[in-house]
Amino acid sequence: GATWVMGSPEAQRDEVLRSSDLVRAFRRVEFQDSQGQDKWLSLGSFEQDGYVALVVTARWKDQGWGNCKGNLGLRLVRDGATVKHYNLFGTFGQNIFDGFQRTEYQDSTAVLISEDEIMKLALEGDATWQVEYHVGGGGGHALYIEELVVRALPGWNDVIVHYAGPVANGIRLKLQLLSKTVEEEVPAETTPQQLVQSLQAQGHQCVRLRDPSR
């Protein structure tokens, strides 16, 4: 069924995190690299199977001393070429909070939604996600990953409503569809299901997030 979902990108990220529709797309456990290479290397890959949001969680650390150089990222690849690269959490150790010991594993989470540039590009067609890491050059650098998991939200036939405002003949809606944002003017009494049917009749594909008020 169709649902209205309104709110800021931050509210949408929270809703993605709570979604029961997330599926596991990738997992890597018990990984380490102490070669200290100054380039991005692959942990593995998964296909962009119509996903409209990604949740990446990692429990990771670097060598625990010296310069901070460790990073984790996603690379979007289409037809063998890089479309965009995304650094998931920033460099390990550079945003240490009070009381955190750099020698400890850190739990990090990143949520990508359809408003983020890399997800917009992913929704333009078939593509592959490369999950990557960067140790950094120089003596003694290392990266340890206890577990890294990517969960994905599949696309469905529903609509995210970013805002609604009155107009002369009803309401104006800004809608996030599967690959683009559109604006529609509809009668004020329009139901979500009628809106979805109208958009589908125009050849649009939509995305689904459950109503956070439920």
Side-chain angles (χ1 to χ4, degrees):
T3 57
W4 301 102
V5 177
M6 304 181 67
S8 65
E10 290 74 22
Q12 293 178 41
R13 292 183 212 280
D14 288 341
E15 177 61 14
V16 169
L17 280 171
R18 293 196 301 267
S19 176
S20 62
D21 294 322
L22 288 167
V23 297
R24 192 169 77 184
F26 179 88
R27 181 173 184 253
R28 186 72 186 265
V29 297
E30 302 299 337
F31 174 85
Q32 69 177 66
D33 186 335
S34 56
Q35 297 302 309
Q37 297 188 64
D38 193 18
K39 61 182 179 180
W40 288 94
L41 300 170
S42 178
L43 287 167
S45 64
F46 62 97
E47 296 303 309
Q48 165 55 21
D49 191 18
Y51 300 135
V52 297
L54 299 177
V55 177
V56 185
T57 55
R59 185 171 176 80
W60 64 308
K61 66 178 182 178
D62 67 2
Q63 70 280 355
W65 56 272
N67 292 330
C68 301
K69 296 185 178 181
N71 290 273
L72 296 172
L74 286 176
R75 185 181 303 275
L76 182 66
V77 178
R78 179 172 290 124
D79 298 327
T82 297
V83 178
K84 189 172 182 62
H85 189 271
Y86 184 84
N87 190 317
L88 286 163
F89 311 118
T91 301
F92 185 89
Q94 290 190 343
N95 56 350
I96 291 176
F97 50 86
D98 290 343
F100 176 79
Q101 300 297 317
R102 188 174 158 194
T103 55
E104 299 175 357
Y105 278 98
Q106 179 174 327
D107 294 307
S108 302
T109 300
V111 183
L112 302 178
I113 60 174
S114 54
E115 285 197 356
D116 294 318
E117 183 181 359
I118 195 168
M119 286 305 303
K120 290 179 181 178
L121 293 168
L123 290 164
E124 291 180 357
D126 294 339
T128 300
W129 293 98
Q130 294 279 352
V131 184
E132 298 185 336
Y133 70 99
H134 182 276
V135 177
H141 288 284
L143 199 67
Y144 303 88
I145 301 172
E146 186 172 289
E147 183 180 46
L148 187 152
V149 176
V150 181
R151 292 178 294 157
L153 187 68
W156 305 89
N157 291 323
D158 287 299
V159 181
I160 301 172
V161 180
H162 291 302
Y163 66 78
V167 294
N169 298 317
I171 54 175
R172 177 186 294 275
L173 305 174
K174 183 180 180 182
L175 310 169
Q176 180 66 51
L177 306 182
L178 192 60
S179 59
K180 59 185 175 182
T181 300
V182 301
E183 293 195 10
E184 291 279 320
E185 290 187 13
V186 299
E189 65 274 12
T190 301
T191 67
Q193 188 61 48
Q194 289 171 336
L195 177 60
V196 169
Q197 290 173 348
S198 172
L199 292 165
Q200 289 174 332
Q202 298 174 51
H204 293 309
Q205 291 178 292
C206 307
V207 289
R208 178 167 71 118
L209 291 178
R210 291 180 303 163
D211 186 342
S213 66
R214 292 189 307 180

